[in-house]
Amino acid sequence: MSSYFDGIEPVRYEGPDSATELCFRHYDPNATVLGKRLEDHLRFAVAWWHSFAWPGGDPFGGQTFDRPWFGDDMNAAKAKADAAFDLFAILGQPFFCFHDADIAPGAEGFEESARNFDAIVDYIGEKMAAGGPRLLWGTANLFSHRRFMSGAATNPDPDVFAWSAATVKRCMDATHRLGGENYVLWGGREGYETLLNTDLTREAEQAGAFLQKVVDYKYKIGFRGTILIEPKPQEPTKHQYDHDVATVYGFLKRFGLEDEVKVNIEQGHAILAGHSFEHEIALAASLDIFGSIDMNRNDYQSGWDTDQFPDNPREVALAYYEILRAGGFSTGGTNFDAKLRRQSLDPLDLVAAHVGAMDVCARGLKAAAAMLADGVLEDARAARYAGWDTSDAQEMLDDMDLAAIHDLVVDADLRPEPRSGRQEILENLVSRYV
Ligand SMILES: [Mn+2]
């Protein structure tokens, strides 16, 4: 073990009454919930970028963190991988995620960049073979370097489209080689700042063609994982093309890819879009494009993407309720796309952030499972729509035109009686479980 996390022991489950500072009080990976191990329900992943690459900057000031592995050469990249696997050994989580740019130093030439990346992927592969977590998903960073300032697939310059496609090919190869279960595309700068210089139609067609090539390449190399798009409404660009789940579904339908691509939903991005996390999950499940989640909240006041670790069991419970209702994760999981606050300098802060988040998620999932098992919310919902289960109602829906329905209302002298939606009663019910 490297010196960075020295003195921090692997974290164990000790139960809700433990006085130990760093322990799991709710996350017992081996506990059985709805017939499945808790670890297999939650499928936690640590994100390489925020946990190991982020320097602690904000728009008003630069680096606050002083990690021994910071640097832009291959030795630094290997030291970062060593530290990552040391943290994984402490947390015992089953997965991790990365972008190409987080794990290896870039270069101005494509081949040199790719060589660096492939070498570190091999290094990570050796560490994975020696034990530790699996790869939940890989992805390419097509937004940080200045060449991507006007987008990747949607760039007005075809050379940037080509560079992006070549980068995704290398990242999909690496994800496949490491046994990744998904491949994610986040359209970092796939959007625009001003319509004055933007051709919306052309950019959407470029994005559709790009995604089709990604799907084709998945089959070409025999990658069995899921291709995921991560919606976000704005930031970095003013208007993102992958605004929210509904927008992404429209995009997939437009290019005939709705059976090939699913969504990775982030709580913070849902909040930025003016939705709740559970709304986005429920809608994706309803459209049959639910894939995975990034579990990181936003500050409700700041209006930007603060990427904080989850700390609200009720919010988390409502999200997992929709996931369990939809049958749980298949290839997806719970990725902590979350960063520390910039004053949280110590190794202990990084460990504690993950431990607390894992516990909050476990608590939320157990509450969600209990609500689902008891059927209280489902019974109330079924009762609310019970009128639609009659054959008359179904006949109206399926077979009657407006004129026939009109005659029915007149003949029966129909006078609809409003009934309570019982919202507070249902909210009280949720409070009993969380
Ligand atoms: Mn994310």
Side-chain angles (χ1 to χ4, degrees):
M1 181 172 283
S2 78
S3 58
Y4 192 69
F5 295 105
D6 270 0
I8 303 177
E9 295 296 312
V11 178
R12 308 270 177 232
Y13 173 72
E14 294 186 10
D17 300 325
S18 171
T20 306
E21 186 185 17
L22 270 190
C23 71
F24 295 121
R25 290 175 173 77
H26 303 279
Y27 179 56
D28 176 3
N30 294 312
T32 301
V33 176
L34 298 177
K36 197 155 118 181
R37 292 173 65 249
L38 199 49
E39 180 178 81
D40 300 332
H41 270 295
L42 292 160
R43 293 167 61 85
F44 288 132
V46 172
W48 209 281
W49 50 102
H50 286 329
S51 289
F52 308 112
W54 187 59
D58 71 10
F60 304 92
Q63 179 174 345
T64 57
F65 297 164
D66 184 21
R67 311 295 195 208
W69 57 82
F70 279 175
D72 58 2
D73 60 27
M74 291 294 279
N75 287 331
K78 284 182 181 170
K80 181 158 55 174
D82 293 342
F85 276 77
D86 290 343
L87 178 68
F88 301 162
I90 290 169
L91 297 174
Q93 96 287 355
F95 292 102
F96 68 97
C97 301
F98 68 83
H99 300 86
D100 54 347
D102 316 320
I103 63 170
E108 280 310 302
F110 185 84
E111 241 339 287
E112 191 189 344
S113 272
R115 256 200 318 275
N116 289 347
F117 175 62
D118 288 342
I120 294 294
V121 167
D122 288 344
Y123 188 71
I124 289 173
E126 287 164 22
K127 298 185 82 73
M128 289 170 74
R134 291 172 286 148
L135 179 60
L136 185 65
W137 47 264
T139 187
N141 178 325
L142 302 177
F143 47 90
S144 290
H145 193 280
R146 63 194 291 273
R147 75 173 66 87
F148 303 118
M149 70 177 192
S150 310
T154 61
N155 201 290
D157 180 353
D159 287 354
V160 179
F161 182 101
W163 182 293
S164 306
T167 302
V168 168
K169 181 224 176 264
R170 293 299 271 254
C171 288
M172 288 178 75
D173 289 341
T175 300
H176 187 37
R177 196 155 85 238
L178 293 177
E181 302 206 9
N182 308 269
Y183 185 82
V184 168
L185 297 136
W186 173 55
R189 295 187 192 273
E190 310 293 27
Y192 67 89
E193 291 298 322
T194 173
L195 266 182
L196 298 175
N197 64 11
T198 300
D199 183 337
L200 276 173
T201 309
R202 198 187 269 275
E203 293 200 358
E205 282 166 2
Q206 287 173 215
F210 192 98
L211 188 57
Q212 181 67 59
K213 291 180 200 307
V214 168
V215 170
D216 291 345
Y217 192 66
K218 164 186 155 158
Y219 288 109
K220 184 172 182 177
I221 62 175
F223 176 59
R224 299 175 63 94
T226 309
I227 305 292
L228 301 169
I229 288 183
E230 181 169 328
K232 187 174 182 181
Q234 76 270 345
E235 205 192 65
T237 71
K238 168 77 177 156
H239 299 273
Q240 296 275 134
Y241 295 132
D242 47 13
H243 189 99
D244 59 2
V245 167
T247 308
V248 168
Y249 185 71
F251 172 80
L252 295 176
K253 287 288 275 189
R254 177 173 174 184
F255 294 100
L257 291 167
E258 70 273 19
D259 295 331
E260 297 288 353
V261 178
K262 297 188 185 300
V263 282
N264 179 47
I265 302 170
E266 175 179 316
Q267 184 188 15
H269 297 177
I271 293 168
L272 283 178
H275 299 306
S276 67
F277 195 20
E278 61 269 25
H279 164 85
E280 289 289 82
I281 294 168
L283 181 60
S286 165
L287 297 168
D288 201 21
I289 58 166
F290 175 71
S292 197
I293 59 170
D294 275 6
M295 182 59 96
N296 46 283
R297 68 196 161 99
N298 269 8
D299 187 292
Y300 284 100
Q301 281 80 48
S302 70
W304 59 291
D305 195 9
T306 58
D307 281 333
Q308 291 173 253
F309 283 89
D311 75 339
N312 185 328
R314 187 186 181 98
E315 283 184 356
V316 165
L318 293 174
Y320 281 121
Y321 185 79
E322 296 302 330
I323 292 171
L324 292 176
R325 257 186 102 217
F329 292 120
S330 55
T331 61
T334 303
N335 175 44
F336 295 116
D337 184 4
K339 53 193 187 218
L340 297 171
R341 299 305 87 192
R342 73 196 296 268
Q343 299 173 54
S344 304
L345 304 178
D346 299 340
L348 184 67
D349 294 319
L350 191 55
V351 177
H354 284 92
V355 170
M358 290 160 81
D359 247 358
V360 164
C361 290
R363 205 174 140 188
L365 187 126
K366 284 190 269 190
M371 286 192 285
L372 197 63
D374 290 355
V376 284
L377 289 175
E378 295 315 302
D379 290 348
R381 199 187 326 248
R384 187 159 183 249
Y385 291 91
W388 281 103
D389 294 336
T390 64
S391 55
D392 284 354
Q394 284 307 310
E395 191 192 333
M396 172 176 71
L397 205 58
D398 298 337
D399 302 324
M400 294 170 74
D401 65 7
L402 285 188
I405 295 172
H406 168 271
D407 292 348
L408 180 148
V409 169
V410 172
D411 292 349
D413 188 19
L414 219 55
R415 299 177 190 209
E417 245 340 287
R419 280 186 302 161
S420 171
R422 306 177 78 230
Q423 180 167 338
E424 293 78 6
I425 290 169
L426 296 172
E427 287 169 350
N428 293 353
L429 217 147
V430 169
S431 298
R432 276 165 45 196
Y433 283 85
V434 176

